[in-house]
Amino acid sequence: YGAGLTTAEVDTTTLTALTAYATEQVDYTTTLGATDSHDRWAINGMLGTYSNVFTNIDMICQACSTFFTYNPKIGKFEVVPNREATTAEKAASYIFDDDNVVGAIDVSSTQLYSQYNEIEAEFPDGSQRDQTSTVNVITPSGELNTNEPQNKLTTRYPICNDAPRVTNLAQIDLRQSRNDLVVQLDADYEAIQTDVGDIVKLTNATYGFSEKLFRVMRVSEREA
């Protein structure tokens, strides 16, 4: 497996960091209503070698809420856990402001009638011999926008077979689908130090941003 990739082509330090994050103990509620703890993320399913490598990688990353990317600066593939930034990461994050933004700032978000407020997540239930079960997560009424219609997202987590982890994954996907402010901007050459997955800050008086946190999803270098 692995399409002939060597270890030298993978940034294994990011895999080590992901493993440490995924194996942290978190509390969950058992089917009997008791509180227990387990690894934050785990893979509990089968991968088919008939699928292409990136499809399988996407499934693995989906089951541990992680981004998979290629870092051209070091010439390696790496993973970026989709988690809250640490205090140190926030303090060290690159700042975009009027000193380095050299063009227009485009801000967009999902229209009201396209926002999801419910997610139906299917998964192979390990307690039922991996028969398909469903977890439903609904946005609290107090968090809905005025006149927001019901809009359900249906998805599947094929290699995660326990309800507590699927519920957490569904919560993340649903909440991030609602907090989907997207900013596109042109900056000077200094900004090339930012990488996909980095947490950055944006300050702009027009939009009322004061070191507002964003995650970098794409970086393009252009000559001009």
Side-chain angles (χ1 to χ4, degrees), residues 124-201:
D125 192 341
S127 64
Q128 301 293 330
R129 297 185 178 181
D130 282 349
Q131 297 298 305
T132 298
S133 291
T134 303
V135 164
N136 288 283
V137 178
I138 301 175
T139 301
S141 58
E143 297 181 14
L144 298 177
N145 298 298
T146 303
N147 298 322
E148 181 178 339
Q150 182 181 8
N151 191 14
K152 182 171 68 175
L153 170 65
T154 301
T155 188
R156 181 174 177 83
Y157 300 95
I159 59 174
C160 184
N161 73 349
D162 61 285
R165 291 192 182 95
V166 170
T167 300
N168 289 342
L169 291 168
Q171 285 274 16
I172 292 172
D173 286 345
L174 180 59
R175 288 181 179 274
Q176 290 197 333
S177 75
R178 299 182 60 79
N179 298 320
D180 62 342
L181 189 65
V182 177
V183 170
Q184 183 170 310
L185 54 82
D186 291 331
D188 61 20
Y189 186 74
E190 187 183 51
I192 199 65
Q193 66 184 275
T194 59
D195 295 318
V196 172
D198 284 356
I199 299 294
V200 297
K201 299 173 182 176

Side-chain angles (χ1 to χ4, degrees), residues 43 46-47 54-64 158-159:
I43 305 299
M46 301 290 291
L47 289 175
F54 280 105
T55 296
N56 285 342
I57 290 175
D58 284 342
M59 290 172 59
I60 293 172
C61 288
Q62 180 199 36
C64 57
I159 59 174

